[in-house]
Amino acid sequence: STIWGDTTLLGLPGANNSRAIVPTFLGIDEDRDSFALDAKHTVSKTDFGLGLRYDMIDNNDTRNIHRRPGELTGSATAAADRFVTQHDEFEEDMLNAHGFTETRFNDRIWFTTGYSYTRLDTDVGGSRIYGADYDPVYDPLFARRQQRDEGFFDLRGGSKVDQYVMNMNLMLMPWDNVSIVPSFRVEHQEQEGDVTYTATSFGAPPARAATTEDLRNTRGRGFTDVSERLELRYTGFTNWVLYARGEWLEGIGTLKETQADNDPDAPEGTSAIIKRNTDSDRFTQKYVLGVNWYPLRRLNMAAQYYHKVRENGYTHLVDSTTNMPPSANRYPAFLTDQDFATDDLNYRVTWRPLNNLTLVTRYDFQLSTVDTKGDFLAKVQSAEMTSHILSEMISWTPCSRLYLQGSINYVLDQTTTGANTFVGSDTNNIVPRSRNDYWNASIFATFVLDNKTDLSAQYFYYRANNYLDNSSASQPYGAGAEEQSISATISRQLTRRLRCSLRYGYFTNRDQTSGGHNNYDAHLVFSSLQYRF
């Protein structure tokens, strides 16, 4: 595991002498089965399709940590040395049924429909218990001696999700150079979740007795989204394609959450710690204008602009935070409206200087704003995000057996909020501007050894250098990370229906924000065998 146990046996001066350097480990026991069946049939001018998919997941994992090994705090009966094992049990059953139709009335009119139903059932279980060894049984006497650590046991519960999706698309070509594509989509979801568990803690001094509390969390969410889309495309100008598109979405939803003591004898609602019932509505609109130009046989250019707005409204019918004083944390009942607006302008150039060489260059400029309204307050612009994205991709086929592709992306991204101008007693900009600048590059190669064997290799590099150690004034912000990976895969066609592959990969990660505690080097060996019926 990349999460480490702690120790103070380092001989470091001062009170803050703890370091997380004790190795820990995971126990992984996971199974997944997936079944899929699809069928397609044509009747006259219409294609019909039906499909089923069934997935099963059964996970029984553990996280094992040794904390403060070899340490005593005052006496052997109050040892800081203890073990913690967390069991994470998860089972999932997912069934999906889908169908579609595609009707070609003639070369100028096409009509398609689709429908999908998904049922997802999950069960969870587990515990987090501290004891004198790994995988202990909860012992209140041990917890009392420790007088520290909170955990849980007898976690039981699960969730159920029903999703319904329907869409219809019509493609019209009333004239030779004009196409019109209206479409319509409806999605409805119902989500239910319920979990019970026993939380473990310890009481107030001087007794600090071990305590347990039975809790229950419930959550229900439902929403309906209706989407419309209209696209127009014109090709009447030689070597030019003009298009425009509009997208609209209207949605409503409900969210109900409760955390309460799991006391079956208590009147409903009397023991609620958190109780929330919120209605929401949203409206999204997006407008796109674009042009493609083909001035030369080997050169084409494209430009696109879009404007997108999403408006969210919240009505808090019941919320346990609504009665708190203004100085208390009233989130999320504090929010009544939050709107997002994005303007994006992008350009793309594709050039083929040689038959076997292609270069694609793209630039994006994106400006986004967030407007937020709190309860009893006026709406304000709470954030502004600016992004510049430059990318380049080169594809080269020097010979019939070898294919090479390289890409590089460079991103400048900054978020500013009203907190950036806050002036503290000791320093300005206690909350600095959030930067998410990074760049990444990759190289991919495939070589055909013979008519049945392929060899491929890939290298990837990622770098972000935005970490600002502002801990002397407030919270450090920004990402500082470096990731690299290299992998090689060989695959061979054993028979007409049977193919096998073997892959090796080496990965490194260096994370500055965690002080290096999430750094790792990893090796991967992966094999697969595929049979096509």
Side-chain angles (χ1 to χ4, degrees), residues 90-93 120-124 157-161 192 194:
F90 177 78
E91 294 182 4
E92 175 188 289
D93 292 282
L120 178 67
D121 286 302
T122 64
D123 294 298
V124 297
S159 64
K160 180 179 69 175
V161 178
E192 297 178 4
D194 191 343

Side-chain angles (χ1 to χ4, degrees), residues 121-196:
D121 286 302
T122 64
D123 294 298
V124 297
S127 61
R128 182 180 180 89
I129 301 176
Y130 290 78
D133 203 346
Y134 291 118
D135 206 14
V137 176
Y138 177 69
D139 182 357
L141 295 179
F142 182 90
R144 181 177 180 179
R145 290 197 303 268
Q146 293 297 305
Q147 298 182 5
R148 67 189 76 201
D149 303 322
E150 297 182 358
F152 62 91
F153 60 89
D154 284 345
L155 173 66
R156 292 291 180 267
S159 64
K160 180 179 69 175
V161 178
D162 289 294
Q163 181 194 46
Y164 309 83
V165 179
M166 182 190 71
N167 63 69
M168 296 182 290
N169 306 274
L170 179 65
M171 187 177 73
L172 304 172
M173 291 176 282
W175 304 283
D176 291 340
N177 300 312
V178 177
S179 63
I180 305 173
V181 183
S183 61
F184 177 77
R185 184 180 188 272
V186 178
E187 177 181 358
H188 177 73
Q189 275 199 37
E190 292 290 343
Q191 307 172 6
E192 297 178 4
D194 191 343
V195 65
T196 62

Side-chain angles (χ1 to χ4, degrees), residues 305-467:
Y305 166 78
Y306 75 77
H307 176 72
K308 182 178 180 180
V309 177
R310 177 179 172 125
E311 301 172 352
N312 301 282
Y314 306 98
T315 302
H316 306 284
L317 304 176
V318 177
D319 199 296
S320 56
T321 65
T322 55
N323 295 324
M324 292 185 178
S327 59
N329 179 14
R330 300 182 62 233
Y331 180 85
F334 175 73
L335 295 178
T336 59
D337 296 274
Q338 193 164 50
D339 303 336
F340 300 82
T342 300
D343 291 277
D344 182 287
L345 182 64
N346 60 78
Y347 304 93
R348 187 190 75 243
V349 178
T350 304
W351 181 36
R352 294 186 62 193
L354 303 172
N355 289 334
N356 60 353
L357 181 64
T358 302
L359 296 87
V360 180
T361 305
R362 181 181 171 113
Y363 169 74
D364 281 76
F365 171 74
Q366 193 172 93
L367 176 65
S368 301
T369 59
V370 182
D371 294 330
T372 303
K373 184 181 184 305
D375 202 9
F376 304 113
L377 298 176
K379 182 176 288 189
V380 298
Q381 181 175 299
S382 54
E384 180 180 275
M385 296 162 282
T386 305
S387 302
H388 301 269
I389 306 170
L390 182 63
S391 60
E392 179 71 28
M393 185 177 69
I394 301 175
S395 302
W396 183 35
T397 310
C399 62
S400 60
R401 290 178 175 267
L402 179 63
Y403 172 76
L404 302 171
Q405 185 181 82
S407 65
I408 185 169
N409 300 278
Y410 183 65
V411 178
L412 295 174
D413 184 278
Q414 177 176 277
T415 300
T416 59
T417 69
N420 301 137
T421 59
F422 177 75
V423 179
S425 58
D426 300 321
T427 180
N428 295 336
N429 295 325
I430 289 180
V431 183
R433 289 178 173 83
S434 173
R435 302 193 67 89
N436 187 32
D437 304 340
Y438 67 90
W439 68 277
N440 60 53
S442 65
I443 300 175
F444 176 80
T446 297
F447 183 70
V448 180
L449 298 176
D450 55 43
N451 61 346
K452 293 185 177 181
T453 309
D454 296 337
L455 177 65
S456 61
Q458 184 174 18
Y459 172 76
F460 174 80
Y461 180 84
Y462 164 84
R463 177 64 171 138
N465 189 21
N466 311 295
Y467 179 68

